[in-house]
């Protein structure tokens, strides 16, 4: 019996197999032919709008699963809001400047990279970015994402670049921008400064050393010692390569410090750390001769173990007793806290390391060596001259570059910053964070703590592919010039010719006619070589896109990104928005 004949089955033309590999491209081709995005928008014309602002992915290669997930989630939100009766224009964007793209061009050119002019490198970067914008657009369409694919925003387009200049002009006008010598995170492989959002922390195994700095006669007098034995202040560090830049040792004002007899020497360290230090050094016998509070030792002078300069004892509230000796080696050229306390005490800033992370001729015995390679040599030299008390190995968290994954260094260079405390900006940022609905709710706690503790925003990068910082330096008196007048003039040129002119025109062609140095009246200038941080590009997109397109508005109803953007785009968008409008760019 044919049982099929006994069943009342529906009749359909649907095939037994879905055949999605063949069918999906046909469906998407049909959507494109019928202009589905435009038809949906037309049906919703006049309805209440909902704006989801697209955080731009880098145009650096084919899509990966994270990028796809990001855009598909946005597509789900936009379709859901559309089905609820809202008009939901969705303008996709791409981040086209910055190191990720320049890095790819560097890899392609190899050694030829350094032989090319900035203008040539920029053209190659633009070609590379354009190629992958097209690739990714086709791939996003293939995933069925509905968007205004014919009119995306690109951070390298002349109108967007002009928008960046306009925002920079307003921020400069209000006094947020300054240039200063400061120790910042530096990638020796990528040869550029990095922002907090570009750091990754990894555990590494490295040296942990105790070093003796010989004190002058005042050390013995300070502790009331009659002994003729040499007195040393004992420091601890996990970065031996920073020792050439040492100019001070920091103590805790309220901590108790002991003069400890070890053999024929007297070592000064925090009393609470003695047992741990002696255990690390394998020393079984010692004797405490005298004790003093940190504040009683301030100003004492010591000799650097292998450099010609001397250092002094200072006080700092960041000194702790959890690790080390309670005496912190200070190198203002190689650390943020070191730099800050160095300014308080007027300490010299020594930073004998070049952009490739190699020692300069300022440190002759290590000149040309990469700093991390020099660690072993420095430890050997310290042992040879009798300045090494103990050396072990430790595993600890260390910052790495998000792009090349290599370890970073702190390096003092002159950089451009946005002051996050100017005009009470930090407090206003924290207030605006409270007004935003964060999903999940812990997002508010996370970004609040980050903004509360964040340093000023370093907005300069030492690369070619990006929007230039339109500053000049007077060749006569050295004055730095970044004024409303000069930025406004360059902004007008950008709208007409694009930012590439910065790399092809002479200084006099980029400045207003007859411009003179406001300090000395000089007429010869050198243009800035740094570009703006790429996070500034995408961070002002709410001003350059949402406020310039008729179908959009600001603040956006929603930003939707991965949790890494609490440190990145959520912050880089929040700062300029609150600085200029006292309002978050997202609801």
């Amino acid at each position: 019996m044919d049982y099929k004949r006994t069943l009342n089955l529906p009749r359909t033309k649907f095939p037994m197999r879905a055949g999605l590999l063949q069918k999906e491209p046909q469906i998407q081709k049909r959507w494109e032919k019928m202009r589905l995005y435009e038809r949906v928008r037309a049906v919703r014309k006049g309805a209440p709008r909902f704006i989801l602002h697209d955080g731009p992915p880098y145009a650096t290669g084919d899509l990966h699963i994270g990028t796809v997930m990001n855009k598909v989630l946005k597509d789900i939100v936009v379709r859901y809001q559309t089905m609820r009766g809202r008009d939901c224009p969705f303008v996709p964007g791409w981040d086209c400047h910055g190191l990720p793209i320049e890095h790819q061009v560097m890899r392609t050119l190899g050694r030829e990279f350094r032989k090319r002019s900035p203008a040539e490198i920029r053209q190659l970067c633009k070609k590379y970015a354009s190629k992958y914008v097209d690739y990714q657009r086709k791939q996003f369409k293939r995933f069925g994402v509905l968007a205004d694919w014919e009119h995306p925003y690109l951070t390298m387009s002349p109108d967007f670049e002009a928008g960046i200049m306009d925002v920079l002009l307003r921020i400069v006008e209000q006094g947020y921008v300054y240039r200063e010598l400061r120790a910042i995170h530096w990638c020796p492989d990528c040869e550029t400064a990095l922002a907090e959002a570009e750091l990754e922390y990894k555990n590494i195994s490295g040296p942990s050393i105790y070093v003796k700095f010989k004190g002058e006669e005042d050390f013995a007098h300070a502790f009331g010692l009659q002994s003729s034995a040499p007195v040393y202040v004992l420091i601890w560090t996990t970065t031996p390569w920073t020792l050439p830049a040492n100019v001070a040792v920091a103590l805790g004002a309220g901590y108790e410090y002991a003069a400890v007899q070890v053999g024929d020497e007297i070592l000064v360290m925090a009393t609470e750390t003695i047992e741990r230090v002696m255990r690390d050094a394998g020393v079984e016998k010692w004797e405490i001769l005298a004790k003093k509070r940190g504040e009683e030792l301030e100003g004492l002078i010591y000799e650097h173990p292998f450099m010609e300069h001397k250092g002094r004892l200072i006080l700092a509230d960041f000194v702790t007793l959890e690790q080390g000796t309670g005496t912190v080696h200070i190198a203002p050229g190689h650390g943020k806290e070191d730099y800050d306390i160095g300014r308080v005490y007027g300490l010299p800033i020594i930073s004998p390391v070049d952009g490739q992370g190699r020692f300069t001729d300022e440190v002759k015995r290590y000149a040309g060596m990469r700093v991390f390679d020099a660690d072993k040599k420095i430890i050997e030299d310290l042992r040879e001259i009798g300045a090494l008390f103990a050396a072990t190995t430790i595993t600890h968290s260390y910052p790495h570059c998000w792009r090349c994954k290599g370890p970073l260094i702190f390096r003092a260079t002159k950089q451009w910053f946005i002051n996050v405390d100017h005009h009470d900006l930090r407090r206003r940022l924290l207030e605006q964070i409270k007004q935003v609905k964060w999903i999940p709710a812990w997002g508010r706690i996370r970004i609040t703590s980050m903004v509360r503790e964040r340093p000023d925003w370093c907005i300069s990068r030492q690369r070619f592919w990006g929007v230039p910082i339109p500053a000049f330096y007077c060749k006569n008196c050295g004055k730095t010039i970044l004024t409303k007048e000069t930025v406004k003039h360059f902004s007008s040129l950008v709208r007409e010719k694009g930012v590439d002119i910065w790399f092809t025109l002479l200084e006099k062609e980029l400045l207003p006619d007859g411009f003179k140095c406001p300090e000395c009246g000089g007429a010869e200038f050198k243009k800035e070589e740094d570009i703006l941080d790429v996070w500034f590009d995408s961070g002002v997109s709410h001003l350059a896109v949402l406020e310039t397109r008729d179908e959009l508005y600001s603040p956006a109803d929603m930003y939707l990104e991965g949790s890494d953007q609490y440190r990145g785009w959520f912050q880089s968008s929040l700062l300029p928005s609150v600085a200029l409008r006292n309002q978050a760019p997202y609801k």
Side-chain angles (χ1 to χ4, degrees):
M1 177 180 287
D2 185 356
Y3 289 101
K4 184 172 68 172
R5 295 178 180 276
T6 70
L7 300 175
N8 186 16
L9 295 173
R11 296 182 180 274
T12 175
K13 294 181 180 179
F14 287 136
M16 289 292 291
R17 295 179 179 273
L20 293 178
L21 280 176
Q22 294 75 36
K23 203 159 210 173
E24 277 192 325
Q26 295 173 9
I27 292 171
Q28 284 154 19
K29 191 174 182 180
R30 176 171 168 264
W31 286 355
E32 196 165 342
K33 185 176 181 181
M34 68 186 292
R35 303 188 69 83
L36 181 60
Y37 173 80
E38 289 78 7
R39 288 183 67 174
V40 170
R41 289 285 323 282
V43 170
R44 291 288 182 261
K45 185 176 181 180
R49 279 178 293 169
F50 180 90
I51 306 300
L52 192 162
H53 183 40
D54 188 29
Y58 284 114
T60 51
D62 291 320
L63 299 183
H64 56 76
I65 190 64
T67 322
V68 172
M69 179 179 176
N70 176 291
K71 203 73 82 181
V72 168
L73 285 174
K74 291 172 182 175
D75 188 53
I76 290 171
V77 171
V78 169
R79 288 173 185 261
Y80 168 71
Q81 294 292 344
T82 300
M83 288 190 289
R84 293 191 68 192
R86 296 182 178 182
D87 179 14
C88 301
F90 183 55
V91 177
W94 273 275
D95 225 336
C96 304
H97 290 140
L99 183 58
I101 291 164
E102 189 171 331
H103 185 73
Q104 295 296 333
V105 172
M106 286 172 64
R107 289 177 60 185
T108 303
L109 291 176
R111 293 182 179 178
E112 288 293 312
F113 182 81
R114 296 186 182 278
K115 299 178 183 179
R116 301 297 183 96
S117 69
E120 288 178 307
I121 292 171
R122 288 178 61 82
Q123 286 305 311
L124 289 170
C125 290
K126 183 176 290 187
K127 183 178 179 181
Y128 183 94
S130 298
K131 170 185 173 181
Y132 280 102
V133 165
D134 288 338
Y135 274 22
Q136 291 187 6
R137 175 168 27 209
K138 290 174 183 175
Q139 290 167 338
F140 280 132
K141 286 183 178 180
R142 183 68 182 81
F143 278 95
V145 177
L146 276 187
D148 191 357
W149 294 114
E150 294 179 17
H151 307 98
Y153 75 86
L154 309 178
T155 60
M156 66 179 178
S157 65
D159 59 333
F160 194 100
E161 291 172 336
I164 293 172
M165 282 295 109
D166 289 345
V167 176
L168 181 64
L169 171 62
R170 291 161 65 187
I171 288 176
V172 168
E173 278 183 302
Q174 296 192 27
Y176 285 101
V177 181
Y178 67 95
R179 184 172 184 258
E180 188 173 78
L181 176 67
R182 185 180 294 185
I184 44 82
H185 284 105
W186 182 274
C187 179
D189 291 324
C190 299
E191 296 183 51
T192 188
L194 295 181
E196 289 291 317
E198 298 168 320
L199 308 184
E200 293 180 353
Y201 285 86
K202 301 178 185 176
N203 284 335
I204 64 168
S205 181
S208 167
I209 64 174
Y210 295 93
V211 184
K212 299 179 295 185
F213 290 178
K214 187 176 181 180
E216 295 193 339
E217 290 183 4
D218 288 349
F219 265 77
H221 296 157
F223 282 94
L225 302 176
Q226 302 301 318
S227 172
S228 60
V231 182
Y232 300 87
V233 59
L234 186 68
I235 67 97
W236 171 76
T237 183
T238 58
T239 53
W241 66 266
T242 63
L243 288 174
N246 172 274
V247 293
V249 169
L251 313 178
Y255 294 154
E256 182 182 76
Y257 289 85
V260 185
Q261 181 90 43
V262 181
D264 297 331
E265 300 173 339
I266 298 172
L267 307 179
V268 176
M269 67 192 84
T271 306
E272 191 175 315
T273 69
I274 295 173
E275 288 191 11
R276 182 181 66 245
V277 172
M278 296 306 171
R279 187 167 57 248
D280 287 349
V283 174
E284 297 180 356
K285 294 182 179 180
W286 71 86
E287 181 185 357
I288 297 177
L289 303 180
K291 298 178 182 178
K292 290 288 182 180
R293 284 169 59 85
E295 59 191 1
E296 298 177 88
L297 304 176
E298 183 182 17
L300 294 181
I301 305 298
Y302 62 85
E303 298 175 4
H304 194 288
F306 57 82
M307 300 292 287
E308 294 181 359
H309 59 265
K310 296 183 179 182
R312 58 181 166 131
L313 302 189
I314 62 175
L315 303 177
D317 58 11
F318 55 75
V319 177
T320 66
L321 304 180
E322 281 75 25
Q323 291 180 303
T325 60
T327 59
V328 178
H329 139 61
I330 300 295
H334 295 311
K336 182 185 183 303
E337 289 179 326
D338 300 40
Y339 176 84
D340 291 341
I341 197 66
R343 292 187 67 184
V344 173
Y345 278 91
L347 300 175
I349 298 173
I350 302 174
S351 185
V353 178
D354 66 17
Q356 293 182 308
R358 300 179 185 275
F359 279 113
T360 65
D361 291 338
E362 292 176 74
V363 189
K364 289 185 172 54
R365 68 172 72 196
Y366 309 119
M369 292 184 70
R370 288 182 68 90
V371 294
F372 298 117
D373 296 336
D375 275 349
K376 185 176 180 180
K377 175 65 174 168
I378 290 172
I379 294 172
E380 290 174 356
D381 288 349
L382 289 170
R383 182 177 286 112
E384 186 177 328
I385 62 178
L388 185 69
F389 182 65
T392 59
T393 300
I394 190 174
T395 299
H396 61 107
S397 180
Y398 193 83
H400 287 66
C401 174
W402 71 302
R403 175 52 46 185
C404 72
K405 310 302 180 184
L408 303 178
I409 61 176
F410 261 106
R411 177 171 177 255
T413 59
K414 284 195 172 181
Q415 302 287 341
W416 292 94
F417 297 89
I418 289 179
N419 187 338
V420 296
D421 291 302
H422 184 62
H423 290 330
D424 206 17
L425 179 57
R426 192 186 303 271
R427 181 193 61 77
R428 293 190 288 132
L429 290 168
L430 295 172
E431 283 298 318
Q432 284 302 311
I433 288 171
K434 294 177 184 176
Q435 309 303 317
V436 176
K437 181 179 181 182
W438 299 91
I439 305 170
W442 54 255
R444 174 180 297 168
I445 299 170
R446 185 171 183 183
I447 195 168
T448 295
S449 64
M450 288 179 172
V451 170
R452 185 181 289 123
E453 302 298 327
R454 70 160 294 145
D456 287 349
W457 184 1
C458 178
I459 59 170
S460 47
R461 294 293 181 273
Q462 292 65 48
R463 306 306 312 176
F464 301 121
W465 180 228
V467 176
I469 297 175
F472 299 86
Y473 304 97
C474 177
K475 288 186 176 181
N476 185 48
C477 69
K479 181 175 175 60
T480 301
I481 300 166
L482 182 69
T483 66
K484 174 183 175 181
E485 181 185 6
T486 59
V487 178
K488 191 172 185 179
H489 179 73
F490 181 63
S491 180
S492 66
L493 294 177
V494 170
R495 288 195 179 279
E496 183 183 346
K497 302 176 182 178
V499 296
D500 285 343
I501 58 172
W502 185 262
F503 301 89
T504 56
L505 298 183
L506 297 174
E507 282 80 358
K508 64 181 181 180
E509 299 172 288
L510 297 167
L511 283 163
D513 292 338
F515 184 83
K516 303 287 184 183
C517 173
E519 190 75 21
C520 70
E524 291 191 6
F525 303 91
K526 182 180 182 299
K527 57 190 173 184
E528 174 63 86
E529 296 179 354
D530 290 356
I531 62 169
L532 279 168
D533 176 14
V534 69
W535 290 99
F536 190 86
D537 288 18
S538 58
V540 303
S541 61
H542 56 90
L543 295 161
V545 178
L546 298 184
E547 293 190 359
T548 60
R549 298 204 179 192
D550 292 339
E551 74 271 32
L552 306 176
Y553 57 69
S554 184
D557 292 288
M558 188 176 190
Y559 276 32
L560 195 165
E561 302 297 332
S563 60
D564 56 331
Q565 298 308 322
Y566 286 106
R567 185 179 295 278
W569 193 53
F570 294 162
Q571 274 197 62
S572 66
S573 300
L574 185 68
L575 264 73
S577 182
V578 175
L580 299 179
R581 303 182 311 179
N582 203 33
Q583 184 180 42
Y586 34 70
K587 298 175 186 176

